[in-house]
Amino acid sequence: MHPSRPVLAATALLATTLLAACGSSADGGATAAGQGAKAEAVLRLPDPGNNGFLALGKKDGSLDRALAAVHAKVAWTGSAGPFAPAAQALSADQLDVAQGSITSAVAALAQKPGFKLFAQTAPDGVGEGILVKNGSPIKTVQDLVGHKVAVSQGGTSEYLLLKALEKNGIPADKVERVYLRADQTAGVFNSGQVDAWATWNTFSTPSIANSGAHFLVNGKEVGSDNYAVWAVRNGFADKYPEVVKAFYTYLRENGLKEKADPAAYLNVFTDSGPTAVSAAEKEVAVEVTRQGAPADAIGEADIARFGTVAAFFAEQKVTKQTVDVKPYLIDLGALGGGTK
């Protein structure tokens, strides 16, 4: 999930689980810091799990220290997962900040969003793509014709498949899309019930490392514009712009550190159990993170590529019409203090 995308994020939860796990403060999570003291903002974030710089920030307290300077602290909620349930939680005032893909964000913005985007991470060219099993007769994208491909509806997964088909001149209806939740797809893929799986690094890394899979094509090869994006609830951004700015700065600085030494950000809390990264997974994860990018402000070139994604989703009838992303972007420079 891409700061640098947290590789091997915790297993995605259902929207209902996420909502139940989150706080329900109607005023955006602000609590009194004491008699006569400035109110302390509580930034509700999905729990980062066992890997990535946010996991380390939770363990060593560095994120809370960074936010303390702007009278804020973190409240960790349900585990990070697909953006669709997180978008619902943001709009329902059950979450303040979440990360997802621009593809999932476009689908969510086609509804009645209660959030805006404030940061981006460049598309993951090597960690996402279309997986096939080693030894599969499917050797090219053209070979997907007449076969079943597992996708998550309306986000990264469906986008990657449709981009691959478009680039190779294959009508979308020539390949059967099997809609599944990403966290429920590995077993279906491994058992051969589908012939390929379009997915991102959270799921591709263990599949490549442990399950004898490889990319038929990756994000770079299909010409993906699938940025990772950070979203913030409107009410929180309006009330605590300095907290949004401080959080962005933390994302940027620590994403750079993780890119420089990816292995140091794996198995932050434990090196055993279901959330632990195995030695084989670590090798894949380190390479993906090294080739990734840290979070950055959203610039004009990024906005143009967001528009390309929105237009593509409308053309492919994933959305009913082209979503204008521009009204839902935050200019970090306008929050004060400039950007890095």
Side-chain angles (χ1 to χ4, degrees):
M1 326 231 208
H2 294 344
S4 164
R5 288 175 174 82
V7 176
L8 299 175
T11 301
L13 299 181
L14 284 167
T16 52
T17 304
L18 179 61
L19 292 171
C22 297
S24 58
S25 173
D27 66 354
T31 59
Q35 187 68 28
K38 182 175 180 178
E40 184 175 52
V42 178
L43 181 68
R44 296 169 293 180
L45 282 172
D47 191 279
N50 193 33
N51 304 287
F53 66 78
L54 285 178
L56 186 59
K58 177 184 179 182
K59 182 178 181 179
D60 65 15
S62 60
L63 178 54
D64 265 327
R65 290 194 295 274
L67 295 184
V70 288
H71 307 283
K73 65 180 181 180
V74 174
W76 300 105
T77 70
S79 299
F83 186 66
Q88 294 176 17
L90 289 166
S91 296
D93 189 12
Q94 299 291 329
L95 190 64
D96 297 314
V97 168
Q99 187 191 37
S101 64
I102 187 58
T103 47
S104 294
V106 164
L109 290 172
Q111 310 302 316
K112 293 183 178 179
F115 62 88
K116 288 185 172 67
L117 309 179
F118 68 93
Q120 56 81 13
T121 302
D124 180 6
V126 299
E128 61 185 23
I130 300 175
L131 292 172
V132 294
K133 297 302 290 291
N134 296 345
S136 169
I138 297 173
K139 305 298 183 183
T140 68
V141 174
Q142 190 70 43
D143 294 336
L144 291 173
V145 172
H147 288 88
K148 297 178 179 180
V149 182
V151 298
S152 302
Q153 191 167 13
T156 293
S157 188
E158 190 165 26
Y159 172 80
L160 291 169
L161 174 60
L162 292 172
K163 283 290 289 183
L165 297 179
E166 180 198 49
K167 184 171 183 178
N168 287 272
I170 302 169
D173 61 3
K174 296 297 184 181
V175 175
E176 182 179 348
R177 279 171 269 178
V178 179
Y179 290 115
L180 295 168
R181 264 181 34 200
D183 60 318
Q184 297 179 334
T185 305
V188 177
F189 175 65
N190 290 336
S191 66
Q193 296 177 65
V194 294
D195 305 296
W197 180 13
T199 192
W200 59 96
N201 64 3
T202 300
F203 303 99
S204 66
T205 294
S207 190
I208 291 169
N210 303 325
S211 301
H214 66 274
F215 280 128
L216 178 68
V217 284
N218 61 26
K220 182 179 181 180
E221 290 165 337
V222 303
S224 173
D225 287 309
N226 188 36
Y227 285 77
V229 291
W230 282 93
V232 59
R233 184 174 61 82
N234 290 341
F236 191 94
D238 292 342
K239 191 170 185 178
Y240 304 113
E242 71 284 359
V243 178
V244 177
K245 175 64 180 183
F247 181 67
Y248 163 76
T249 300
Y250 186 88
L251 294 179
R252 174 72 180 170
E253 293 177 351
N254 287 275
L256 286 166
K257 293 177 183 178
E258 183 179 17
K259 178 177 169 63
D261 185 14
Y265 295 83
L266 298 173
N267 293 339
V268 171
F269 289 98
T270 180
D271 57 6
S272 63
T275 65
V277 178
S278 68
E281 290 170 349
K282 184 176 291 188
E283 184 177 346
V284 178
V286 164
E287 185 61 26
V288 169
T289 301
R290 280 179 176 158
Q291 295 187 56
D296 207 344
I298 299 171
E300 288 301 320
D302 309 315
I303 295 172
R305 292 175 74 181
F306 291 176
T308 298
V309 170
F312 180 74
F313 261 13
E315 175 187 321
Q316 297 290 329
K317 304 189 185 310
V318 176
T319 56
K320 293 181 179 179
Q321 58 189 18
T322 301
V323 176
D324 184 4
V325 179
K326 289 182 180 180
Y328 305 104
L329 304 179
I330 290 176
D331 178 3
L332 284 169
L335 296 181
T339 59
K340 292 188 177 182

